[in-house]
mmCIF file of all heavy atoms in Angstrom:
data_model
loop_
_atom_site.group_PDB
_atom_site.id
_atom_site.type_symbol
_atom_site.label_atom_id
_atom_site.label_comp_id
_atom_site.label_asym_id
_atom_site.label_seq_id
_atom_site.Cartn_x
_atom_site.Cartn_y
_atom_site.Cartn_z
ATOM 1 N N LEU A 430 -2.024 -26.148 24.720
ATOM 2 C CA LEU A 430 -2.520 -25.743 23.335
ATOM 3 C C LEU A 430 -2.152 -26.801 22.293
ATOM 4 O O LEU A 430 -0.993 -26.938 22.025
ATOM 5 C CB LEU A 430 -2.029 -24.364 23.038
ATOM 6 C CG LEU A 430 -2.584 -23.842 21.706
ATOM 7 C CD1 LEU A 430 -4.061 -23.562 21.748
ATOM 8 C CD2 LEU A 430 -1.787 -22.466 21.448
ATOM 9 N N ILE A 431 -3.125 -27.492 21.845
ATOM 10 C CA ILE A 431 -2.913 -28.606 20.907
ATOM 11 C C ILE A 431 -3.273 -28.265 19.456
ATOM 12 O O ILE A 431 -2.835 -28.902 18.546
ATOM 13 C CB ILE A 431 -3.604 -29.831 21.432
ATOM 14 C CG1 ILE A 431 -3.257 -31.196 20.528
ATOM 15 C CG2 ILE A 431 -5.130 -29.698 21.383
ATOM 16 C CD1 ILE A 431 -1.851 -31.553 20.773
ATOM 17 N N ALA A 432 -4.233 -27.308 19.326
ATOM 18 C CA ALA A 432 -4.649 -27.011 17.952
ATOM 19 C C ALA A 432 -4.975 -25.575 17.835
ATOM 20 O O ALA A 432 -5.465 -24.945 18.846
ATOM 21 C CB ALA A 432 -5.909 -27.794 17.564
ATOM 22 N N GLN A 433 -4.680 -24.942 16.695
ATOM 23 C CA GLN A 433 -4.958 -23.561 16.460
ATOM 24 C C GLN A 433 -5.571 -23.376 15.069
ATOM 25 O O GLN A 433 -5.066 -23.997 14.123
ATOM 26 C CB GLN A 433 -3.708 -22.724 16.603
ATOM 27 C CG GLN A 433 -3.116 -22.495 17.942
ATOM 28 C CD GLN A 433 -2.101 -21.407 17.989
ATOM 29 O OE1 GLN A 433 -2.374 -20.245 18.033
ATOM 30 N NE2 GLN A 433 -0.812 -21.785 17.970
ATOM 31 N N GLY A 434 -6.605 -22.585 15.020
ATOM 32 C CA GLY A 434 -7.176 -22.278 13.750
ATOM 33 C C GLY A 434 -6.309 -21.318 12.975
ATOM 34 O O GLY A 434 -5.318 -20.761 13.576
ATOM 35 N N THR A 435 -6.675 -21.072 11.719
ATOM 36 C CA THR A 435 -5.907 -20.083 10.898
ATOM 37 C C THR A 435 -6.850 -18.943 10.659
ATOM 38 O O THR A 435 -8.002 -19.071 10.279
ATOM 39 C CB THR A 435 -5.485 -20.648 9.562
ATOM 40 O OG1 THR A 435 -6.638 -21.261 8.902
ATOM 41 C CG2 THR A 435 -4.488 -21.787 9.779
ATOM 42 N N GLN A 436 -6.319 -17.772 10.896
ATOM 43 C CA GLN A 436 -7.082 -16.475 10.695
ATOM 44 C C GLN A 436 -7.210 -16.248 9.187
ATOM 45 O O GLN A 436 -6.266 -16.477 8.374
ATOM 46 C CB GLN A 436 -6.350 -15.314 11.406
ATOM 47 C CG GLN A 436 -6.354 -15.447 12.800
ATOM 48 C CD GLN A 436 -7.625 -15.188 13.533
ATOM 49 O OE1 GLN A 436 -8.647 -14.834 12.878
ATOM 50 N NE2 GLN A 436 -7.807 -15.439 14.846
ATOM 51 N N PRO A 437 -8.328 -15.634 8.856
ATOM 52 C CA PRO A 437 -8.481 -15.306 7.421
ATOM 53 C C PRO A 437 -7.540 -14.097 7.125
ATOM 54 O O PRO A 437 -7.263 -13.286 7.909
ATOM 55 C CB PRO A 437 -9.922 -14.873 7.308
ATOM 56 C CG PRO A 437 -10.253 -14.460 8.702
ATOM 57 C CD PRO A 437 -9.514 -15.336 9.579
ATOM 58 N N VAL A 438 -6.975 -14.080 5.856
ATOM 59 C CA VAL A 438 -6.236 -12.983 5.449
ATOM 60 C C VAL A 438 -6.950 -12.178 4.274
ATOM 61 O O VAL A 438 -7.231 -12.783 3.289
ATOM 62 C CB VAL A 438 -4.876 -13.576 4.832
ATOM 63 C CG1 VAL A 438 -3.966 -12.445 4.314
ATOM 64 C CG2 VAL A 438 -4.060 -14.332 5.814
ATOM 65 N N ASN A 439 -7.320 -10.982 4.662
ATOM 66 C CA ASN A 439 -8.080 -10.195 3.730
ATOM 67 C C ASN A 439 -7.171 -9.825 2.497
ATOM 68 O O ASN A 439 -5.968 -9.701 2.605
ATOM 69 C CB ASN A 439 -8.532 -8.929 4.415
ATOM 70 C CG ASN A 439 -9.592 -9.222 5.457
ATOM 71 O OD1 ASN A 439 -10.364 -10.160 5.365
ATOM 72 N ND2 ASN A 439 -9.701 -8.327 6.474
ATOM 73 N N GLY A 440 -7.796 -9.678 1.383
ATOM 74 C CA GLY A 440 -7.146 -9.317 0.200
ATOM 75 C C GLY A 440 -6.715 -7.911 0.210
ATOM 76 O O GLY A 440 -6.995 -7.115 1.107
ATOM 77 N N GLN A 441 -5.946 -7.449 -0.811
ATOM 78 C CA GLN A 441 -5.525 -6.145 -0.904
ATOM 79 C C GLN A 441 -6.257 -5.364 -2.020
ATOM 80 O O GLN A 441 -6.485 -6.045 -3.065
ATOM 81 C CB GLN A 441 -4.001 -6.095 -1.181
ATOM 82 C CG GLN A 441 -3.161 -6.597 0.026
ATOM 83 C CD GLN A 441 -1.723 -6.510 -0.289
ATOM 84 O OE1 GLN A 441 -1.301 -6.133 -1.368
ATOM 85 N NE2 GLN A 441 -0.870 -6.861 0.696
ATOM 86 N N ASN A 442 -6.657 -4.162 -1.773
ATOM 87 C CA ASN A 442 -7.297 -3.402 -2.868
ATOM 88 C C ASN A 442 -6.363 -3.153 -4.032
ATOM 89 O O ASN A 442 -5.146 -3.062 -3.858
ATOM 90 C CB ASN A 442 -7.816 -2.137 -2.287
ATOM 91 C CG ASN A 442 -8.922 -2.273 -1.345
ATOM 92 O OD1 ASN A 442 -9.650 -3.271 -1.334
ATOM 93 N ND2 ASN A 442 -9.157 -1.303 -0.413
ATOM 94 N N GLY A 443 -6.911 -3.058 -5.116
ATOM 95 C CA GLY A 443 -6.129 -2.739 -6.380
ATOM 96 C C GLY A 443 -5.506 -1.403 -6.171
ATOM 97 O O GLY A 443 -6.069 -0.487 -5.343
ATOM 98 N N LYS A 444 -4.451 -1.089 -6.891
ATOM 99 C CA LYS A 444 -3.764 0.234 -6.777
ATOM 100 C C LYS A 444 -3.551 0.874 -8.149
ATOM 101 O O LYS A 444 -3.667 0.192 -9.171
ATOM 102 C CB LYS A 444 -2.365 0.008 -6.123
ATOM 103 C CG LYS A 444 -2.452 -0.560 -4.668
ATOM 104 C CD LYS A 444 -1.123 -0.697 -4.224
ATOM 105 C CE LYS A 444 -1.154 -1.360 -2.724
ATOM 106 N NZ LYS A 444 0.203 -1.612 -2.144
ATOM 107 N N VAL A 445 -3.267 2.109 -8.115
ATOM 108 C CA VAL A 445 -2.923 2.833 -9.329
ATOM 109 C C VAL A 445 -1.443 3.044 -9.313
ATOM 110 O O VAL A 445 -0.884 3.616 -8.299
ATOM 111 C CB VAL A 445 -3.726 4.175 -9.350
ATOM 112 C CG1 VAL A 445 -3.333 4.867 -10.671
ATOM 113 C CG2 VAL A 445 -5.214 4.033 -9.419
ATOM 114 N N GLU A 446 -0.788 2.629 -10.280
ATOM 115 C CA GLU A 446 0.690 2.797 -10.426
ATOM 116 C C GLU A 446 0.952 3.961 -11.311
ATOM 117 O O GLU A 446 0.510 4.019 -12.522
ATOM 118 C CB GLU A 446 1.331 1.551 -10.989
ATOM 119 C CG GLU A 446 2.874 1.724 -11.083
ATOM 120 C CD GLU A 446 3.494 0.464 -11.639
ATOM 121 O OE1 GLU A 446 2.830 -0.409 -12.204
ATOM 122 O OE2 GLU A 446 4.761 0.252 -11.471
ATOM 123 N N PHE A 447 1.549 5.060 -10.754
ATOM 124 C CA PHE A 447 1.762 6.247 -11.481
ATOM 125 C C PHE A 447 3.154 6.251 -12.159
ATOM 126 O O PHE A 447 4.142 5.711 -11.586
ATOM 127 C CB PHE A 447 1.669 7.524 -10.584
ATOM 128 C CG PHE A 447 0.289 7.712 -10.010
ATOM 129 C CD1 PHE A 447 -0.113 7.200 -8.820
ATOM 130 C CD2 PHE A 447 -0.646 8.427 -10.804
ATOM 131 C CE1 PHE A 447 -1.390 7.402 -8.298
ATOM 132 C CE2 PHE A 447 -1.948 8.534 -10.269
ATOM 133 C CZ PHE A 447 -2.244 8.104 -8.991
ATOM 134 N N TYR A 448 3.285 6.856 -13.387
ATOM 135 C CA TYR A 448 4.508 6.938 -14.092
ATOM 136 C C TYR A 448 5.013 8.301 -14.055
ATOM 137 O O TYR A 448 5.855 8.661 -14.922
ATOM 138 C CB TYR A 448 4.293 6.418 -15.510
ATOM 139 C CG TYR A 448 3.669 5.020 -15.593
ATOM 140 C CD1 TYR A 448 2.721 4.726 -16.473
ATOM 141 C CD2 TYR A 448 4.125 4.021 -14.700
ATOM 142 C CE1 TYR A 448 2.097 3.418 -16.565
ATOM 143 C CE2 TYR A 448 3.582 2.753 -14.772
ATOM 144 C CZ TYR A 448 2.625 2.458 -15.715
ATOM 145 O OH TYR A 448 2.046 1.239 -15.746
ATOM 146 N N PHE A 449 4.571 9.148 -13.124
ATOM 147 C CA PHE A 449 5.133 10.505 -12.987
ATOM 148 C C PHE A 449 5.016 10.882 -11.509
ATOM 149 O O PHE A 449 4.448 10.100 -10.643
ATOM 150 C CB PHE A 449 4.305 11.531 -13.766
ATOM 151 C CG PHE A 449 2.893 11.735 -13.384
ATOM 152 C CD1 PHE A 449 2.487 12.652 -12.470
ATOM 153 C CD2 PHE A 449 1.885 10.782 -13.721
ATOM 154 C CE1 PHE A 449 1.142 12.759 -12.028
ATOM 155 C CE2 PHE A 449 0.613 11.023 -13.388
ATOM 156 C CZ PHE A 449 0.219 11.941 -12.593
ATOM 157 N N ASP A 450 5.756 11.914 -11.094
ATOM 158 C CA ASP A 450 5.810 12.293 -9.621
ATOM 159 C C ASP A 450 4.503 12.961 -9.249
ATOM 160 O O ASP A 450 4.126 14.001 -9.750
ATOM 161 C CB ASP A 450 7.007 13.258 -9.418
ATOM 162 C CG ASP A 450 7.281 13.544 -7.972
ATOM 163 O OD1 ASP A 450 6.610 12.858 -7.164
ATOM 164 O OD2 ASP A 450 8.027 14.400 -7.752
ATOM 165 N N THR A 451 3.802 12.308 -8.235
ATOM 166 C CA THR A 451 2.638 12.927 -7.776
ATOM 167 C C THR A 451 2.790 13.546 -6.390
ATOM 168 O O THR A 451 1.856 14.021 -5.808
ATOM 169 C CB THR A 451 1.548 11.794 -7.462
ATOM 170 O OG1 THR A 451 1.973 10.842 -6.571
ATOM 171 C CG2 THR A 451 1.204 11.129 -8.881
ATOM 172 N N SER A 452 4.013 13.670 -5.894
ATOM 173 C CA SER A 452 4.326 14.176 -4.609
ATOM 174 C C SER A 452 3.949 15.666 -4.506
ATOM 175 O O SER A 452 4.197 16.429 -5.481
ATOM 176 C CB SER A 452 5.795 14.006 -4.234
ATOM 177 O OG SER A 452 6.065 14.716 -3.061
ATOM 178 N N SER A 453 3.357 15.995 -3.341
ATOM 179 C CA SER A 453 2.974 17.379 -3.179
ATOM 180 C C SER A 453 3.980 18.131 -2.225
ATOM 181 O O SER A 453 3.881 19.319 -1.971
ATOM 182 C CB SER A 453 1.659 17.570 -2.504
ATOM 183 O OG SER A 453 1.605 16.913 -1.301
ATOM 184 N N ASP A 454 5.036 17.364 -1.846
ATOM 185 C CA ASP A 454 5.986 17.901 -0.932
ATOM 186 C C ASP A 454 7.137 18.549 -1.703
ATOM 187 O O ASP A 454 8.207 17.943 -1.905
ATOM 188 C CB ASP A 454 6.595 16.845 0.034
ATOM 189 C CG ASP A 454 7.446 17.425 1.129
ATOM 190 O OD1 ASP A 454 7.392 18.655 1.350
ATOM 191 O OD2 ASP A 454 8.223 16.616 1.634
ATOM 192 N N ARG A 455 6.863 19.646 -2.266
ATOM 193 C CA ARG A 455 7.837 20.273 -3.198
ATOM 194 C C ARG A 455 8.515 21.476 -2.543
ATOM 195 O O ARG A 455 8.107 22.587 -2.513
ATOM 196 C CB ARG A 455 7.146 20.814 -4.412
ATOM 197 C CG ARG A 455 6.433 19.754 -5.150
ATOM 198 C CD ARG A 455 5.401 20.248 -6.145
ATOM 199 N NE ARG A 455 4.808 19.283 -6.970
ATOM 200 C CZ ARG A 455 3.786 19.429 -7.729
ATOM 201 N NH1 ARG A 455 3.365 20.608 -7.930
ATOM 202 N NH2 ARG A 455 3.278 18.485 -8.431
ATOM 203 N N LYS A 456 9.697 21.165 -1.836
ATOM 204 C CA LYS A 456 10.429 22.165 -1.120
ATOM 205 C C LYS A 456 11.505 22.708 -2.012
ATOM 206 O O LYS A 456 12.301 21.967 -2.576
ATOM 207 C CB LYS A 456 11.002 21.581 0.179
ATOM 208 C CG LYS A 456 9.940 21.240 1.178
ATOM 209 C CD LYS A 456 10.623 20.750 2.432
ATOM 210 C CE LYS A 456 9.657 20.263 3.509
ATOM 211 N NZ LYS A 456 10.289 19.849 4.739
ATOM 212 N N PRO A 457 11.604 24.115 -2.106
ATOM 213 C CA PRO A 457 12.683 24.638 -2.887
ATOM 214 C C PRO A 457 14.006 24.316 -2.152
ATOM 215 O O PRO A 457 14.028 24.214 -0.873
ATOM 216 C CB PRO A 457 12.342 26.120 -2.876
ATOM 217 C CG PRO A 457 11.435 26.359 -1.775
ATOM 218 C CD PRO A 457 10.695 25.082 -1.588
ATOM 219 N N ALA A 458 15.089 24.334 -2.884
ATOM 220 C CA ALA A 458 16.444 24.008 -2.305
ATOM 221 C C ALA A 458 16.911 25.189 -1.515
ATOM 222 O O ALA A 458 16.689 26.354 -1.852
ATOM 223 C CB ALA A 458 17.451 23.683 -3.383
#
């Protein structure tokens, strides 16, 4: 093996950064 191509790297989708707790896993103590 003397040469290898480079695979494309797909981009990442934009995200929403939340400033409050969105978790639905609310277990009582």
Side-chain angles (χ1 to χ4, degrees):
L430 181 62
I431 187 70
Q433 291 192 78
T435 53
Q436 294 288 351
V438 179
N439 290 334
Q441 295 181 357
N442 292 335
K444 298 179 181 179
V445 179
E446 183 178 16
F447 294 94
Y448 305 138
F449 64 96
D450 185 12
T451 62
S452 172
S453 62
D454 188 18
R455 301 166 176 172
K456 294 183 179 180

